[in-house]
Amino acid sequence: MSQHKQQNASIENIYRLDGRVPLLKAIPFGLQHVLAMFVANLAPIAVVGSACKLPASDMTMLLQNSMFAAGIGTLIQLYPIWRVGARLPIVMGVSFTFVTILSYVGANYGYPAVIGAVIVGGMFEGTLGLCAKYWRKIVSPIVAASVVTAIGYSLLGIGARSFGGGYTSSFGSAQNLTLGAITLATCIAFNIFAKGHLKQLSVLVGLFVGYAAALCLGIVDISGIMGHGIISVPKLMPFTPVFNINAIISVAIIFLVSATETIGDTTAMVAMGLEREITDKEISGSLACDGFASSISGLFGCTPVTSFSQNVGLIAMTKVVNRFTIMTGAVCMILAGFVPVIGALFNSLPESVLGGCTIMLFGSIMVSGIRMLSDAGFTQRNITIAALSLAIGIGFTTASEMGIWKIFPQMVKDVFSGNCVAVVFVVAIVMDLILPQDMEIYKPE
């Protein structure tokens, strides 16, 4: 085979799981995956940190660490260690799924309790992942769909809080609402007019435009950006973990929820990108990586990492599934974790700019849940499970109705009273186990 043919064959490897790709060809595709998830990877840390009232210096450090942790998790998924990792082009990032519960835990028990719960919860999911073949069928499509819908709902208030300016005295001011509206309008406009894979960058473009608008208004504090060196090693164990049993139970339940999302993301990626059915070994490896990589993330002071749906969509569109290519993106994330100015820049974002970016992301999560409900099918049984789990989960955890839990032990109240996702998950699982498989109403002949 001629050198020209060899070169063409290697370039075509971007559409194959294995095989080397010329580095200069691989890097742009790898970077595309990083850009598609960049904002979504940093935003959960920013939201949880804001709810926990962490100082700016800690936030900058955590944002830097989160990029490093996401890169490590992605590498493990691509190139497994023992049975941990799926050997699939799965891109990992800091999860939105945990934002609501970790904000609650941090506000009530402190950020060290968040880290303790993440470390233990990650070990819990990782161990379950290794045993996935024994339990994964319990989490049926209708359970997963109900849970994802609840996650989207639970994030809407957080998005609105950020859009209005966060937990500050200026919440709801004209300035904050204007900034949020400019950012959101930019995201929508770019999504409408951009072509092909560029649509995946709409949130990033909105962030840049919103940040520029905030600079013009003189409300960005850039003093903290200049105080950082060019290179800084991610800090291991920046917080001493506190292992609070109530926090651990609450977060462990959401790790089960996250596992259902990972099963869905991984299955969809294999079906759309590799055009085959996923294997039990791949599901087990992806879940194990989800959990153990989250514990590693906790050791660096960050919240859990999980597979990113944005990148699943990107693979479905581009069909680029080559592990080496995606690995170049993971390496870029790890290198970014050594550059503290990136975290400092993101931390200097006004809360309303972040809200303008994330409110659309949060809404899309709920819409994804609704789409999953449709895919599961509106049978009488599925309607009953979804309707009851969402009604109890959302209704019983609404702030004005939380008194309904007053007769329960304190631990139960701590875990469930303010956590609609956990309640939806438990009710959906129980209903799915006890309802008969055939509940359709038949007309008499």
Side-chain angles (χ1 to χ4, degrees):
M1 183 181 286
S2 68
Q3 185 177 358
H4 177 71
K5 287 183 178 179
Q6 289 176 354
Q7 179 72 0
N8 284 340
S10 63
I11 289 174
E12 291 172 0
N13 281 338
I14 62 173
Y15 304 112
R16 302 187 183 101
L17 188 62
D18 296 307
R20 293 298 296 270
V21 176
L23 191 60
L24 293 180
K25 181 73 174 180
I27 288 176
F29 285 99
L31 278 174
Q32 180 173 269
H33 278 275
V34 175
L35 294 176
M37 54 82 74
F38 182 80
V39 175
N41 181 58
L42 297 179
I45 289 282
V47 173
V48 174
S50 175
C52 298
K53 297 180 171 57
L54 292 178
S57 58
D58 284 348
M59 284 299 304
T60 297
M61 176 267 296
L62 291 177
L63 290 167
Q64 174 189 347
N65 285 6
S66 69
M67 291 181 286
F68 181 79
I72 294 296
T74 302
L75 279 183
I76 296 173
Q77 286 284 26
L78 293 168
Y79 300 98
I81 299 173
W82 185 51
R83 292 167 53 196
V84 180
R87 200 176 170 273
L88 293 172
I90 300 169
V91 177
M92 303 285 284
V94 179
S95 174
F96 274 117
T97 303
F98 295 84
V99 165
T100 306
I101 186 59
L102 294 183
S103 296
Y104 173 82
V105 169
N108 287 274
Y109 305 114
Y111 197 76
V114 168
I115 300 308
V118 169
I119 293 172
V120 175
M123 297 295 289
F124 170 65
E125 187 195 3
T127 303
L128 282 180
L130 296 176
C131 307
K133 66 179 181 180
Y134 300 110
W135 63 266
R136 76 178 182 91
K137 291 183 180 179
I138 295 176
V139 184
S140 65
I142 189 60
V143 172
S146 301
V147 166
V148 173
T149 304
I151 290 169
Y153 172 84
S154 71
L155 291 170
L156 297 182
I158 294 172
R161 170 60 62 173
S162 291
F163 194 94
Y167 292 92
T168 63
S169 58
S170 63
F171 178 74
S173 68
Q175 186 180 66
N176 285 332
L177 295 179
T178 300
L179 272 179
I182 289 172
T183 306
L184 178 59
T186 302
C187 292
I188 294 172
F190 194 83
N191 212 308
I192 292 172
F193 296 109
K195 303 297 183 183
H197 68 268
L198 292 177
K199 289 180 183 291
Q200 300 291 331
L201 305 181
S202 61
V203 172
L204 193 66
V205 173
L207 183 151
F208 281 130
V209 172
Y211 193 81
L215 282 171
C216 292
L217 292 173
I219 59 173
V220 177
D221 181 11
I222 62 173
S223 59
I225 301 173
M226 309 310 295
H228 295 276
I230 298 175
I231 301 294
S232 175
V233 177
K235 188 176 181 182
L236 184 65
M237 297 291 286
F239 300 92
T240 301
V242 171
F243 299 101
N244 180 288
I245 187 63
N246 293 341
I248 289 171
I249 293 173
S250 299
V251 174
I253 291 173
I254 308 304
F255 266 104
L256 292 175
V257 173
S258 177
T260 68
E261 292 183 279
T262 298
I263 291 173
D265 283 344
T266 310
T267 302
M269 190 280 297
V270 171
M272 293 184 291
L274 302 178
E275 297 181 349
R276 62 172 173 82
E277 290 188 5
I278 195 168
T279 66
D280 284 345
K281 182 179 178 181
E282 288 168 339
I283 286 181
S284 178
S286 67
L287 290 174
C289 181
D290 238 36
F292 294 128
S294 292
S295 293
I296 293 172
S297 181
L299 293 176
F300 285 93
C302 298
T303 54
V305 294
T306 190
S307 59
F308 257 41
S309 299
Q310 293 96 318
N311 298 89
V312 174
L314 194 56
I315 284 174
M317 184 167 56
T318 65
K319 303 299 181 183
V320 175
V321 295
N322 183 261
R323 291 192 300 148
F324 176 82
T325 299
I326 308 300
M327 180 270 290
T328 64
V331 171
C332 289
M333 281 194 283
I334 291 172
L335 293 176
F338 286 86
V339 184
V341 70
I342 296 177
L345 272 169
F346 193 86
N347 193 41
S348 67
L349 275 176
E351 189 82 12
S352 52
V353 173
L354 181 63
C357 290
T358 56
I359 197 166
M360 188 165 68
L361 284 174
F362 293 162
S364 68
I365 293 172
M366 189 167 72
V367 172
S368 294
I370 295 171
R371 185 173 60 192
M372 289 171 67
L373 288 172
S374 177
D375 291 342
F378 291 111
T379 64
Q380 187 66 35
R381 186 176 189 275
N382 285 352
I383 289 172
T384 302
I385 293 170
L388 192 59
S389 62
L390 290 169
I392 294 176
I394 295 173
F396 284 27
T397 57
T398 302
S400 60
E401 315 304 331
M402 284 170 59
I404 200 168
W405 297 89
K406 66 182 180 181
I407 67 169
F408 291 91
Q410 187 61 41
M411 180 179 291
V412 174
K413 288 190 284 187
D414 288 342
V415 172
F416 292 107
S417 64
N419 187 353
C420 78
V421 179
V423 178
V424 168
F425 179 72
V426 171
V427 174
I429 284 283
V430 171
M431 295 295 294
D432 194 39
L433 290 174
I434 66 174
L435 289 179
Q437 290 297 319
D438 190 356
M439 290 179 56
E440 297 310 298
I441 301 173
Y442 294 96
K443 294 181 179 179
E445 295 181 0

